[in-house]
Amino acid sequence: DIHPVFLKSVERLRPNYRKYSGVIVDIFYDHFLSKNWKDYSAKPLEQYADEVHSLMMKNILLMPEKSLMFLKYAMRTNRLVSYATIEGIGETLSGMSRRTTFKSNMEFSVNDLKENYALFENEFRGFFEDAKKFVKEYLIKHS
């Protein structure tokens, strides 16, 4: 949440979504990761999602109650895969908006994504390249 590129994306949304801007950008970036999954993994997204769901089910007894509710929802709606579409993240943002304490308008943020799609995608790519580099350096340092 402190990466300069992420913050640039957040600032673009702040006038309309205030404190929810970071959450929205996180969802936008999830969209670009899912949409471009083949650029980052040889394993198909659908297979990866199935493996994540299976791993979570094996550890279900360790999960807090609220996580269980989300897990059931995520598996039923195949959230990881649905994030690859604008419609999928639109459903997520609308659902999140309904659950916020304050009026967030998150359900309208998909329009901002559509209007600035290439800009957000380029920012995601820069952010993600830095994230991969950070993880690689961390693993070298701590192995």
Side-chain angles (χ1 to χ4, degrees), residues 15 33 51 53 72-73 89 91 100 104-105 121 130 137:
L33 178 59
E51 290 173 6
H53 295 158
K72 290 175 190 175
Y73 168 76
I89 62 165
E91 291 169 8
T100 58
S104 69
N105 292 321
E121 186 165 21
D130 285 353
E137 290 172 359

Side-chain angles (χ1 to χ4, degrees), residues 1 3-10 12-13 21-37 40 83-84 89 93 113 117 119-128 131:
D1 291 350
H3 190 281
V5 174
F6 184 88
L7 292 174
K8 190 175 183 180
S9 294
V10 168
R12 185 174 308 107
L13 297 176
S21 299
V23 173
I24 294 167
V25 170
D26 188 51
I27 299 294
F28 286 4
Y29 282 18
D30 286 347
H31 163 69
F32 292 117
L33 178 59
S34 294
K35 179 188 142 235
N36 299 304
W37 184 261
Y40 305 111
Y83 273 17
I89 62 165
L93 289 162
L113 176 62
Y117 197 86
L119 188 56
F120 280 115
E121 186 165 21
N122 286 335
E123 289 169 352
F124 162 77
R125 288 184 183 277
F127 167 83
F128 201 70

Side-chain angles (χ1 to χ4, degrees), residues 28 38 40 46 70 79 83 101 110 128 133 138 143:
F28 286 4
K38 65 187 174 311
Y40 305 111
E46 293 79 3
F70 178 76
R79 283 291 92 188
Y83 273 17
T101 308
V110 171
F128 201 70
K133 182 180 172 186
Y138 179 88
S143 60

Side-chain angles (χ1 to χ4, degrees), residues 89-101:
I89 62 165
E91 291 169 8
T92 296
L93 289 162
S94 291
M96 291 172 71
S97 183
R98 285 190 300 272
R99 291 186 299 279
T100 58
T101 308

